[in-house]
Amino acid sequence: MKKPREKRQAKAPRATRLLALDAWIDSALYEAGFKAGEIWESITIFFRRFRVYGGKRALVEVLSEGFTLGTAGMVLMLALAMPAFEETAGDWRAQDDYAVTFLDRYGNEIGQRGIIQRDSVPVDTIPDHVIKAILATEDRRFFEHFGIDFLGLARALTENVRANSVVQGGSTLTQQLAKNLFLSNERTFERKIKEAYLALWLETNLSKKEILQYYLDRSYLGGGTFGIAAAADFYFSKSVEDLSLAEAAMIAGLFKAPARYAPHINLPAARARANQVLTNMVQADFMSEGQILSARLHPATAVDRGGADSPDYFLDWAFEEVKKIIPDGATHSLVARTTIDPNLQRAAEESLEFHLRQHGKDYDVSEGAIVLMDTDGAVRAVVGGRDYGASQFNRATRAERQTGSSFKPYVYAVAMESGFEPGSLISDGPISWGNWAPRNYGRGYAGRVTLTTALIKSYNTVPVRLARDHLGIDPIITLVKSFDIESPLNGHKTMVLGTSGMTALDQATGFSVFANGGFAGTRFGISQLLSHSGNLVYDKARDAPPPRRVLSEKATASMNQMLIQVPEHGTGRRAALPMTRSAGKTGTTQSYRDAWYVGYTGNYVAAVWLGNDDFHPTRRMTGGSLPAMVWQRLMTYAHQNVDLKPLPGVDGPMRIDSDQAISGEVAQNGQAPENGALPLALSASSAAFLKNLSQAFEKAPPLKPSPQIETLSAL
């Protein structure tokens, strides 16, 4: 009985200490609260001295709310500014130190990149009338604003409302420089916000003279030229210091739309624009009417450049390719032989412009992109937009737009590799994958169908069922990457219906695997790099890695057998060619924002995208409508007088339709057909033969007249 009592006596002091600690905490909290209350009461009494009533109270309330909203606005502005200032992290002052002259596939010079951007003339040495012409047209208040000109913006809005169209822009010269240095030409709200912040950043970090210098050196002025010094040399074979007022006005007019007002392309338009620049100089009080009268009466005339513009979208991409493949230690002054075919490039540009002009308003679509390749991977044409002068953003190589149903062939290719066949049956019925329940375009279901039918009719539920129940997402991603597609995939289950973005270049690259028998690693735009002394620096046949098989022969044949039925019986019938069988796939994204047709023959692969830069929906345009028509017109031209090749696994390349064959013919009188088909073009082999024959005739010795002819002439 003694031991338990001892234990209770041992515990008593510990309990007492805990109770004391609890009492201390309670007391401390009470005292702290009481003290805080006293402090708060003192603060309240202090601020009562500043309490106002009546009209003053209303003013204080307004100011108080203003400070609150201002603080919130500052936080929001900081959040918006952070992405903009990230653009300045790199060495933005540096310029490309490569000088590359580009040749087409036939050896003709088509443009330059690199050195043409480095020419620079100090602002102090540029004639005063040149500077005035540019500022009067681009930014009259350049030396007065801080990067954003609210007065100029208000004036531009007033003039645009008065003219009921966009006749003046509100961007300052600094904002335009910010776009040229750091941003793309995509017309998005995000880009405009970044542009405004970067303009403020430039004004803070550079002097006005430096901003003007960068602007004059790095603006695109048509003809493949960047910078006013290069433009003066290209258009007038002069240095900037020697430009007359008329010539300065013509160059100043190029900053707005170089392709539209380039004097070697459209001299009347260039002169009309130059006359407007002269008017701007008078209105800005930079010169009097008498001082510009001579320039009005004697407009400038540009050096004759043959009337052909350079393929700038292709050159921009090819220049980046050169920098990827050039060996270490090689000279930086190079000649690059490219794969571009000028005839096919013009045909691609014409097909896009023709259909957008004819049907763009009907479908509410304003932009497009095309990439055309040989099935061996040689890129023959790149169209990155309708007007390089208006927008240098290359939609063919940089714009990652959702692919829609044109992504489905990659899913079916994985299925073919996994043991499925074109005739395999699968259910086209309602399906849900988590909280996602995709439906077909027509809202109906066909029951059990073959994979061929599902692909050519573009049913949505079938590729989803394949991915969910049989394939998984990871194998699809692995296959797409193995096709040398560089656009990143989002990896989401909705990816199987084309929610990931791809470029037109990547789409053509991916479908080329089906066209060339299952091999990847074939795409190229540069066949050779040489120094100006003729030394071979790079040769694609020698230095590039060989193609590698990424799709089995059986799977490739199965895909081709299915995809040839899309233009014949499926959603791409407007893409059917009159002279040969083709394969392809349409693609239409949610809300009709993007429309695709990607197709191929045994000779060529082409990807066509149509949409709007600001992502606003088109008027129910599908891939089987306008994109298929653009593709068909281009490919009809491309296949004139060429040896038609069969697709792997498909018997017979020819598919002649007598009712459609007229679309590829030329009228007997030598005129283009009434339906607008492009004229016939000689194949490369035919052109080479005729060229060699012409050279042989030129080198042949003159024929001596026969005695009979001499006798007859004497009579």
Side-chain angles (χ1 to χ4, degrees):
M1 298 298 294
K2 214 171 187 184
K3 290 182 180 179
R5 188 182 301 115
E6 291 176 356
K7 289 182 180 180
R8 285 195 296 270
Q9 290 176 351
K11 288 182 179 179
R14 184 181 301 171
T16 302
R17 288 196 298 270
L18 291 175
L19 288 173
L21 177 62
D22 179 66
W24 179 84
I25 293 174
D26 289 343
S27 177
L29 290 174
Y30 175 78
E31 291 180 1
F34 184 78
K35 190 66 175 176
E38 288 183 333
I39 294 172
W40 178 252
E41 185 176 1
S42 300
I43 293 173
T44 303
I45 293 171
F46 175 78
F47 278 103
R48 281 176 184 170
R49 302 175 184 177
F50 303 99
R51 184 172 296 179
V52 293
Y53 301 92
K56 292 183 179 180
R57 181 177 179 83
L59 177 62
V60 170
E61 291 292 338
V62 170
L63 291 175
S64 177
E65 293 298 325
F67 281 123
T68 302
L69 294 176
T71 303
M74 292 294 291
V75 173
L76 177 61
M77 290 177 65
L78 180 61
L80 294 174
M82 293 290 286
F85 294 146
E86 290 175 0
E87 304 287 346
T88 65
D91 186 10
W92 56 271
R93 295 175 185 264
Q95 296 209 52
D96 301 307
D97 58 345
Y98 291 100
V100 184
T101 300
F102 291 93
L103 312 178
D104 64 18
R105 64 179 299 193
Y106 304 115
N108 302 310
E109 184 174 338
I110 55 175
Q112 294 178 309
R113 286 294 185 271
I115 193 170
I116 205 166
Q117 301 179 34
R118 290 208 311 271
D119 298 331
S120 178
V121 176
V123 172
D124 293 334
T125 65
I126 297 177
D128 187 58
H129 61 267
V130 176
I131 300 296
K132 286 180 176 178
I134 295 169
L135 294 183
T137 304
E138 297 300 309
D139 191 353
R140 299 178 188 178
R141 289 171 35 82
F142 172 68
F143 288 102
E144 300 172 24
H145 62 68
F146 54 89
I148 302 174
D149 186 8
F150 293 104
L151 292 178
L153 181 61
R155 183 185 66 248
L157 289 174
T158 302
E159 292 296 327
N160 293 338
V161 170
R162 183 181 303 170
N164 198 25
S165 65
V166 180
V167 295
Q168 286 191 16
S171 295
T172 65
L173 187 148
T174 312
Q175 287 176 278
Q176 296 177 54
L177 176 62
K179 181 182 68 175
N180 293 340
L181 290 178
F182 304 112
L183 306 173
S184 71
N185 282 312
E186 280 190 299
R187 296 180 180 178
T188 62
F189 187 64
E190 178 184 3
R191 197 265 291 171
K192 293 298 293 183
I193 292 176
K194 286 185 177 181
E195 180 184 290
Y197 279 111
L198 290 170
L200 298 175
W201 185 86
L202 287 172
E203 291 280 350
T204 303
N205 289 272
L206 300 176
S207 67
K208 286 288 186 179
K209 182 189 293 186
E210 289 175 316
I211 292 173
L212 183 58
Q213 184 76 65
Y214 278 115
Y215 181 75
L216 295 179
D217 288 345
R218 303 201 182 186
S219 294
Y220 177 70
L221 295 173
T225 63
F226 287 81
I228 190 170
D233 179 67
F234 180 80
Y235 292 117
F236 303 111
S237 294
K238 292 183 176 181
S239 64
V240 179
E241 295 92 332
D242 298 329
L243 289 176
S244 67
L245 177 58
E247 292 165 342
M250 189 169 285
I251 287 182
L254 294 172
F255 285 87
K256 179 180 181 181
R260 188 184 310 165
Y261 300 121
H264 70 302
I265 299 296
N266 192 340
L267 184 59
R271 286 179 169 175
R273 176 64 177 164
N275 194 56
Q276 181 60 50
V277 171
L278 295 172
T279 300
N280 293 340
M281 296 176 72
V282 174
Q283 293 177 347
D285 293 329
F286 289 167
M287 282 190 173
S288 66
E289 186 65 41
Q291 290 174 306
I292 67 167
L293 181 60
S294 178
R296 287 195 194 274
L297 296 176
H298 303 92
T301 299
V303 174
D304 184 11
R305 297 290 180 182
D309 206 357
S310 59
D312 291 305
Y313 287 117
F314 178 89
L315 291 177
D316 286 348
W317 172 72
F319 189 46
E320 296 302 317
E321 293 297 298
V322 167
K323 290 186 283 187
K324 291 179 183 177
I325 63 176
I326 187 171
D328 294 335
T331 177
H332 282 200
S333 182
L334 298 164
V335 176
R337 182 181 290 272
T338 71
T339 58
I340 190 174
D341 187 309
N343 293 325
L344 295 179
Q345 176 69 31
R346 285 192 292 270
E349 294 170 354
E350 189 275 344
S351 183
L352 177 65
E353 182 61 29
F354 174 83
H355 286 94
L356 286 178
R357 188 173 297 171
Q358 293 286 329
H359 307 288
K361 291 184 179 179
D362 296 335
Y363 285 104
D364 191 18
V365 58
S366 59
E367 273 298 349
I370 301 174
V371 172
L372 176 68
M373 303 167 54
D374 276 357
T375 52
D376 66 359
V379 178
R380 298 303 185 196
V382 173
V383 182
R386 299 180 69 177
D387 186 348
Y388 185 84
S391 171
Q392 291 88 57
F393 178 68
N394 196 332
R395 296 159 188 82
T397 63
R398 296 177 59 190
E400 296 174 359
R401 304 296 291 246
Q402 289 189 353
T403 56
S405 294
S406 63
F407 186 86
K408 292 175 183 176
Y410 305 117
V411 180
Y412 283 84
V414 177
M416 295 301 107
E417 288 283 35
S418 300
F420 286 87
E421 296 183 353
S424 299
L425 293 173
I426 195 166
S427 174
D428 172 38
I431 186 174
S432 61
W433 193 346
N435 57 358
W436 182 44
R439 294 182 292 178
N440 290 328
Y441 179 77
R443 306 302 185 190
Y445 301 98
R448 288 179 65 79
V449 296
T450 64
L451 292 184
T452 298
T453 299
L455 182 57
I456 66 176
K457 299 297 183 183
S458 202
Y459 295 148
N460 287 335
T461 64
V462 172
V464 175
R465 198 177 306 276
L466 285 171
R468 187 194 68 175
D469 299 339
H470 304 283
L471 308 176
I473 294 296
D474 290 341
I476 298 173
I477 295 176
T478 300
L479 180 90
V480 171
K481 289 182 177 179
S482 73
F483 281 19
D484 281 350
I485 291 175
E486 298 173 354
S487 301
L489 302 178
N490 59 29
H492 194 266
K493 55 194 173 187
T494 60
M495 178 191 70
V496 299
L497 297 185
T499 59
S500 270
M502 283 191 188
T503 63
L505 180 63
D506 276 343
Q507 284 274 66
T509 302
F511 276 63
S512 70
V513 174
F514 305 133
N516 62 23
F519 286 90
T522 61
R523 184 185 82 194
F524 67 104
I526 307 297
S527 56
Q528 286 183 333
L529 288 177
L530 302 98
S531 66
H532 282 278
S533 60
N535 295 325
L536 188 63
V537 176
Y538 168 87
D539 185 82
K540 192 266 178 186
R542 181 192 70 187
D543 301 319
R548 63 190 187 282
R549 177 170 291 282
V550 294
L551 200 62
S552 67
E553 291 185 25
K554 181 180 179 181
T556 303
S558 296
M559 290 303 303
N560 289 335
Q561 291 163 13
M562 291 192 292
L563 288 172
I564 60 170
Q565 300 186 53
V566 172
E568 294 177 5
H569 311 292
T571 57
R573 279 171 285 186
R574 292 185 181 181
L577 297 175
M579 75 293 294
T580 187
R581 301 184 79 180
S582 65
K585 186 69 187 75
T586 58
T588 309
T589 64
Q590 190 175 17
S591 300
Y592 300 96
R593 285 189 173 89
D594 304 280
W596 294 83
Y597 188 82
V598 190
Y600 55 95
T601 66
N603 298 80
Y604 294 107
V605 185
V608 176
W609 165 83
L610 294 178
N612 295 301
D613 284 343
D614 60 3
F615 293 90
H616 84 260
T618 64
R619 192 172 291 117
R620 300 184 66 83
M621 181 180 66
T622 64
S625 58
L626 207 55
M629 294 160 63
V630 173
W631 188 93
Q632 197 270 352
R633 183 179 178 88
L634 168 60
M635 294 294 261
T636 298
Y637 176 84
H639 286 80
Q640 302 288 350
N641 295 326
V642 299
D643 297 329
L644 300 175
K645 302 176 184 177
L647 286 168
V650 177
D651 294 331
M654 299 300 294
R655 179 182 177 272
I656 299 295
D657 186 337
S658 59
D659 294 333
Q660 297 177 342
I662 187 64
S663 65
E665 296 178 356
V666 173
Q668 294 181 357
N669 61 4
Q671 301 277 338
E674 292 182 359
N675 62 359
L678 290 164
L680 289 170
L682 292 173
S683 65
S685 58
S686 300
F689 173 77
L690 291 177
K691 184 177 181 181
N692 293 333
L693 184 63
S694 175
Q695 293 175 348
F697 277 120
E698 291 176 356
K699 295 178 180 179
L703 294 175
K704 295 181 178 180
S706 65
Q708 293 84 354
I709 295 178
E710 290 180 350
T711 302
L712 289 174
S713 59
L715 294 175

